[in-house]
């Protein structure tokens, strides 16, 4: 007799519970992904065209829909898991941080409104939401918190292609990203500030990509540099946040 799937409402799970679901399903998802990846890399080697980014879809035993975004631009593909929640009309996209680590502590939740803004302000193309989410995830892996309010309930994050604004969800212990601002929407002074952040993101990526080669002292030094520079940039970040306050609260 076929076992009936027990559907889980991901929107009512704590962040560590979502992290545990990812850990429990990761090997199976990874296996499905690798089978597909091997075929794609083989095709690339033989000169066949293939999309840079594609998505492997997986339904877990709990009835949760996973999207696994795969970046084929490198011989070793980058893979990022996403669990889709919300409703069919207004989905939410949950990205676990440190998803292979058993301590998966932070869950980033991106609203449909956020992804709509990203689509409008970055690509300006009509594309399926799954492709929009995948492009954002793979292009903006690194982020730096450039501003937070006094009680740390709202934050602004710098990512590769712009700025992402988030609110704290204290009940379920996660950050909910509500809107996105592209780099070309920033004023001249703001763009100069963002250029400084881009340098920090570059250094962060260098350390992340070569994690086994670097010592903790180098991460500590980067943290110190980020802290020092953000003190100067905070007023500019506050100005950007105020400009998009109404949009953030939609």
């Amino acid at each position: 007799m076929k076992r009936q799937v027990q559907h889980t409402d991901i929107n009512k799970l704590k962040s560590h519970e979502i992290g545990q679901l990812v850990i429990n399903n990761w090997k199976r998802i990874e296996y499905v992904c690798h089978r597909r990846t091997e075929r794609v890399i083989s095709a690339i080697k033989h000169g066949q065209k293939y999309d840079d980014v594609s998505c492997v879809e997986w339904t877990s035993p709990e009835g949760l829909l996973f999207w696994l975004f795969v970046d084929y631009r490198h011989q070793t593909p980058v893979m990022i898991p996403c669990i889709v929640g919300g409703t069919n009309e207004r989905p939410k996209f949950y990205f676990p941080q440190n998803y292979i680590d058993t301590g998966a502590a932070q869950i980033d939740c991106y609203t449909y409104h956020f992804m709509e803004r990203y689509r409008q302000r970055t690509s300006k193309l009509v594309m399926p939401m799954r492709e929009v989410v995948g492009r954002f995830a793979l292009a903006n892996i690194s982020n730096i918190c450039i501003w937070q309010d006094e009680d740390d309930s709202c934050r602004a994050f710098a990512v590769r292609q712009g700025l992402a604004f988030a609110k704290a969800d204290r009940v379920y212990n996660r950050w909910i990203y509500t809107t996105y601002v592209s780099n070309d929407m920033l004023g001249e002074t703001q763009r100069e500030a963002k250029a400084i952040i881009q340098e920090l993101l570059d250094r962060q990526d260098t350390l992340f990509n070569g994690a086994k080669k670097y010592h903790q002292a180098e991460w500590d030094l980067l943290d110190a540099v980020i802290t020092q520079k953000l003190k100067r940039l905070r007023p500019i970040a506050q100005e950007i946040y105020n400009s998009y306050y109404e949009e953030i609260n939609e």
Side-chain angles (χ1 to χ4, degrees), residues 207-224:
L207 288 176
F208 179 77
N209 293 332
K212 294 181 181 178
K213 302 176 185 177
Y214 292 90
H215 299 291
Q216 183 61 42
E218 288 170 283
W219 281 105
D220 293 341
L221 177 60
L222 177 59
D223 286 342

Side-chain angles (χ1 to χ4, degrees), residues 41-247:
I41 289 181
S42 175
I44 292 172
K45 285 181 177 179
H46 290 88
Q48 299 174 20
K49 291 184 178 180
Y50 209 90
D51 292 339
D52 286 345
V53 177
S54 70
C55 178
V56 177
E57 195 168 282
W58 167 271
T59 302
S60 74
E62 298 83 7
L64 296 177
L65 176 63
F66 282 77
W67 286 348
L68 190 70
F69 299 108
V70 187
D71 185 350
Y72 296 116
R73 285 170 290 188
H74 312 285
Q75 287 296 323
T76 303
V78 177
M79 298 182 290
I80 300 178
C82 163
I83 311 179
V84 184
T87 64
N88 290 335
E89 295 77 22
R90 306 288 289 183
K92 294 179 180 177
F93 311 98
Y94 295 89
F95 288 93
Q97 302 293 330
N98 305 318
Y99 44 85
I100 302 180
D101 182 1
T102 54
Q106 181 179 326
I107 297 295
D108 290 337
C109 173
Y110 293 84
T111 62
Y112 185 83
H113 180 268
F114 179 95
M115 289 301 170
E116 273 294 315
R117 285 289 183 260
Y118 177 73
R119 169 163 38 196
Q120 294 164 359
R121 293 171 173 174
T122 301
S123 67
K124 297 181 175 60
L125 298 173
V126 176
M127 63 177 70
M129 183 54 71
R130 189 166 69 175
E131 186 175 343
V132 173
V133 177
R135 288 181 183 277
F136 173 80
L138 291 163
N140 299 284
I141 295 174
S142 295
N143 67 67
I144 294 175
C145 179
I146 61 171
W147 178 86
Q148 63 191 60
D149 62 3
E150 291 183 2
D151 60 357
D152 195 23
S153 60
C154 297
R155 288 183 178 182
F157 292 88
V159 295
R160 283 278 167 199
Q161 297 173 303
L163 301 174
F165 298 96
K167 291 181 176 181
D169 179 355
R170 305 296 187 200
V171 176
Y172 297 110
N173 186 29
R174 56 200 179 206
W175 284 96
I176 299 179
Y177 288 75
T178 53
T179 199
Y180 166 86
V181 176
S182 58
N183 289 331
D184 61 2
M185 295 172 66
L186 303 178
E188 184 177 351
T189 303
Q190 296 167 353
R191 284 197 297 271
E192 291 174 1
K194 186 61 164 49
I196 296 173
I197 300 296
Q198 291 292 112
E199 293 178 14
L200 299 176
L201 286 169
D202 288 341
R203 295 174 68 170
Q204 191 177 76
D205 281 346
T206 300
L207 288 176
F208 179 77
N209 293 332
K212 294 181 181 178
K213 302 176 185 177
Y214 292 90
H215 299 291
Q216 183 61 42
E218 288 170 283
W219 281 105
D220 293 341
L221 177 60
L222 177 59
D223 286 342
V225 172
I226 290 174
T227 301
Q228 180 184 19
K229 289 185 180 294
L230 291 187
K231 284 181 181 179
R232 293 177 14 226
L233 301 180
R234 183 179 174 86
I236 299 173
Q238 174 76 63
E239 178 187 335
I240 298 170
Y241 183 87
N242 291 339
S243 299
Y244 296 95
Y245 178 80
E246 290 184 6
E247 195 173 289

Side-chain angles (χ1 to χ4, degrees), residues 14-47:
K14 300 285 188 180
S15 63
H16 72 273
E17 294 172 319
I18 297 176
Q20 195 59 51
L21 280 172
V22 175
I23 293 163
N24 292 343
N25 288 282
W26 179 253
K27 290 298 180 184
R28 282 174 287 183
I29 301 172
E30 192 177 33
Y31 175 70
V32 172
C33 175
H34 273 308
R35 289 176 60 191
R36 181 169 179 174
T37 299
E38 288 169 6
R39 293 198 301 271
V40 173
I41 289 181
S42 175
I44 292 172
K45 285 181 177 179
H46 290 88

